[in-house]
Amino acid sequence: MNATRISSSTLIRSNAKDLERELAWLSLVIDTRLKLFFGQECNYSSVLELSPPNLDNSDSPYSRLVLHYKMSMAERLMLILGLAPHIRPKVLDVFFSRNSSLDRIFTEFGGELVRDEKEFIPTGETLSFLLSGNDLEFRIGLQTLFEPEHFFTQHHIFDFGWRPAGYPILKAPLRLKDEYSTYLTSGNKYYTRFSLEFPARRLETELGWRDIVLNSKTLTMVQEVDNWIKHGYALQHDWGMASKLRPGYRALFFGAPGTGKTLTTKLLGKSSGHDIYEISLPMLVSLNLKEAEKKLGLIFEQAEYKQWILYFDDADVLFGKKEHPTNRLGTSASQVFAYILHMIDNFQGLAILAADFTETFDKVLSRNFESMIYFPIPGPNERFKLWEQNLPKSAQLDKDVNLRLIAKEYELSGGEILSTIRFVSLRALERGHNMIRQNDLLVGIRKELAKAGRRA
């Protein structure tokens, strides 16, 4: 625990040091441009004489980003301008200076006043003023920093998505995406939160591969998916298969609830270092097609450049195995689901769909997936292992409890076994001791079987 804190503290200290240097450079650029603009005495004839700090020997989050993209002076200035309102807004207070002849702030300064005109948000015009002054050629050249092909937009460092068609590009506020403002200040990774605007939830687990029990055939097929995560890029690009294989990888995990489909997905993400986001199909059903397209577009766009694994639980609905309702807006869910399948089919990353149905698949459906992996109810030996490794360490089994016999006689999924363990553990705690009784186990098992419509 201390090592983590020390590491985090060191990271913040290193980042703050580099940001202080960058802010000092920004202040000097602003001061120099204003002196030149107002015709005051100045030690420089151009702000282009003011080189940004050398970050070559630094390993802070800020320096890593700058060095990774080999940022030019203009790109560096744009980045620190976008970050300034988050870390040192008073650096921008000089832009509140008013043009006395017009009784308003100078048009040349650009910027956007927010929070009752108490805060100045730099825009492309601010960047243009600082770097080019009245140099029209330089100003036009700066517009390339705002184009879709530039890494600022392609890699979602800045958010220019608000700009209406035909609106001057340099009027765009220099707003950093949340993930970058977080990363460039604290060094921490920012995780997009589940909301009505972003109907996808990040999945994670503290468990490891030794905590899941799968039969050998299922585990072998899961390994194929893991191989694609590790080597898919090399296969497509280094081995020249990109033109022959469709982009991405689609896997269908199917089998009864509680057989390990979701946990397997979490473990694939955890072991490979990829974030997993589960897309909420029920939330998408409530939207009209246009809204669904917009929200899904945002999710898939982020997933591709951030290399997320996308997970769709209860995917039976996508294939017509469950009823397709019409939502309150009059849009058939099948329209939304058809669009989801289209997005999945063209996704360049890994998409995992989990379904409960186990009937034989037709050939048309099979062609939609690179892998189709069946998660069966665990057999007696697997069930025994699940009972053994999931019972609380502090619990004791009563002398008449025979776990191997229970595992043999009662066909339960891993999820049902865990639910039963929770039931009997709570009963033991209620009695004030740690003894797991046979009768409680049987009651808990019957409850699980009844929930699934099966008899003991």
Side-chain angles (χ1 to χ4, degrees):
M1 183 68 73
N2 281 337
T4 301
R5 287 177 179 168
I6 291 171
S7 175
S8 176
S9 174
T10 302
L11 190 66
I12 291 173
R13 190 179 305 115
S14 171
N15 211 37
K17 181 179 178 181
D18 284 341
L19 288 173
E20 285 288 2
R21 295 167 62 203
E22 203 82 348
L23 286 165
W25 171 63
L26 172 62
S27 296
L28 181 58
V29 169
I30 293 173
D31 181 66
T32 299
R33 169 53 66 201
L34 289 175
K35 284 179 177 177
L36 294 171
F37 179 71
F38 289 115
Q40 299 171 353
E41 184 177 347
C42 183
N43 295 327
Y44 305 95
S45 59
S46 168
V47 296
L48 300 181
E49 298 172 19
L50 306 172
S51 298
N54 188 327
L55 301 175
D56 288 348
N57 297 319
S58 175
D59 193 38
S60 69
Y62 185 85
S63 67
R64 285 201 292 266
L65 186 72
V66 168
L67 296 174
H68 174 76
Y69 288 108
K70 298 180 175 60
M71 290 190 190
S72 65
M73 178 180 176
E75 290 163 344
R76 286 273 291 271
L77 192 63
M78 184 167 165
L79 183 64
I80 194 61
L81 269 173
L83 198 55
H86 299 271
I87 56 176
R88 190 69 57 75
K90 68 178 183 180
V91 169
L92 306 171
D93 284 353
V94 293
F95 291 118
F96 283 104
S97 302
R98 302 185 75 81
N99 186 331
S100 57
S101 62
L102 298 175
D103 193 29
R104 68 177 193 184
I105 65 171
F106 287 84
T107 303
E108 292 90 339
F109 296 172
E112 183 180 77
L113 300 182
V114 297
R115 305 184 198 283
D116 297 326
E117 299 192 357
K118 294 178 181 177
E119 187 174 347
F120 181 91
I121 301 298
T123 63
E125 291 284 4
T126 313
L127 177 70
S128 176
F129 168 73
L130 291 176
L131 283 172
S132 66
N134 293 319
D135 187 329
L136 186 58
E137 182 179 349
F138 200 110
R139 173 188 170 89
I140 293 172
L142 284 177
Q143 295 186 15
T144 60
L145 302 184
F146 297 81
E147 292 176 352
E149 296 77 19
H150 193 277
F151 65 81
F152 277 151
T153 300
Q154 275 198 338
H155 295 174
H156 299 255
I157 296 173
F158 281 94
D159 182 9
F160 304 128
W162 67 274
R163 191 170 59 90
Y167 198 79
I169 197 167
L170 292 182
K171 298 289 185 184
L174 303 184
R175 290 196 175 96
L176 285 166
K177 288 279 194 177
D178 288 339
E179 62 194 278
Y180 279 97
S181 61
T182 299
Y183 173 71
L184 292 174
T185 51
S186 68
N188 293 326
K189 195 172 183 179
Y190 176 86
Y191 296 109
T192 310
R193 293 174 177 81
F194 181 85
S195 67
L196 290 173
E197 291 302 311
F198 190 83
R201 190 187 312 275
R202 181 171 172 261
L203 300 181
E204 54 185 334
T205 181
E206 296 180 1
L207 302 178
W209 284 111
R210 65 182 180 182
D211 298 303
I212 191 170
V213 178
L214 300 174
N215 69 37
S216 58
K217 184 177 180 181
T218 301
L219 193 57
T220 298
M221 296 186 74
V222 168
Q223 182 63 51
E224 293 176 12
V225 180
D226 190 46
N227 287 342
W228 187 88
I229 297 174
K230 293 175 182 175
H231 308 297
Y233 184 88
L235 175 65
Q236 291 179 305
H237 300 281
D238 298 343
W239 284 36
M241 295 295 288
S243 61
K244 301 175 183 179
L245 301 173
R246 65 173 179 161
Y249 195 98
R250 286 140 291 274
L252 177 68
F253 293 176
F254 65 100
T259 49
K261 301 186 293 292
T262 301
L263 179 54
T264 297
T265 302
K266 291 177 181 179
L267 293 175
L268 283 169
K270 182 179 181 180
S271 62
S272 64
H274 293 277
D275 291 326
I276 301 166
Y277 277 84
E278 178 184 4
I279 294 181
S280 174
L281 295 176
M283 184 176 288
L284 291 171
V285 171
S286 68
L287 305 174
N288 63 38
L289 185 58
K290 187 174 182 180
E291 288 176 323
E293 288 177 354
K294 178 181 177 182
K295 297 181 193 309
L296 277 168
L298 175 63
I299 293 170
F300 276 88
E301 184 181 32
Q302 290 201 54
E304 285 206 1
Y305 88 89
K306 294 180 182 177
Q307 298 185 322
W308 291 345
I309 295 172
L310 292 182
Y311 181 65
F312 300 80
D313 199 5
D314 196 27
D316 308 66
V317 293
L318 295 175
F319 305 106
K321 302 298 179 181
K322 293 186 178 180
E323 182 182 355
H324 284 182
T326 298
N327 67 19
R328 59 183 175 78
L329 300 171
T331 301
S332 169
S334 60
Q335 292 177 269
V336 176
F337 295 148
Y339 182 74
I340 294 173
L341 288 171
H342 169 73
M343 295 293 286
I344 291 172
D345 197 51
N346 291 280
F347 182 46
Q348 297 195 22
L350 170 60
I352 297 176
L353 287 71
D356 296 340
F357 58 91
T358 57
E359 63 263 32
T360 303
F361 299 102
D362 58 46
K363 292 181 180 179
V364 174
L365 181 59
S366 301
R367 286 197 293 268
N368 290 331
F369 299 96
E370 279 67 38
S371 287
M372 296 176 63
I373 305 175
Y374 177 46
F375 285 71
I377 294 290
N381 290 335
E382 293 154 353
R383 294 196 293 269
F384 177 67
K385 188 175 180 181
L386 284 165
W387 281 110
E388 267 202 326
Q389 70 181 34
N390 286 299
L391 279 165
K393 296 289 187 291
S394 55
Q396 289 187 354
L397 296 177
D398 206 354
K399 59 181 181 297
D400 60 344
V401 173
N402 186 332
L403 280 184
R404 193 168 288 281
L405 184 61
I406 287 174
K408 181 180 179 181
E409 290 189 357
Y410 297 102
E411 192 177 273
L412 300 173
S413 69
E416 290 168 334
I417 289 172
L418 282 171
S419 187
T420 303
I421 288 173
R422 178 177 56 208
F423 172 79
V424 297
S425 299
L426 288 172
R427 279 210 168 181
L429 287 167
E430 178 64 20
R431 285 194 294 267
H433 58 70
N434 64 347
M435 189 66 68
I436 302 296
R437 292 178 176 175
Q438 173 80 355
N439 186 60
D440 290 342
L441 281 166
L442 295 178
V443 171
I445 289 169
R446 292 188 187 107
K447 281 169 57 71
E448 291 304 310
L449 292 172
K451 284 195 301 184
R454 310 198 308 270
R455 291 185 178 182

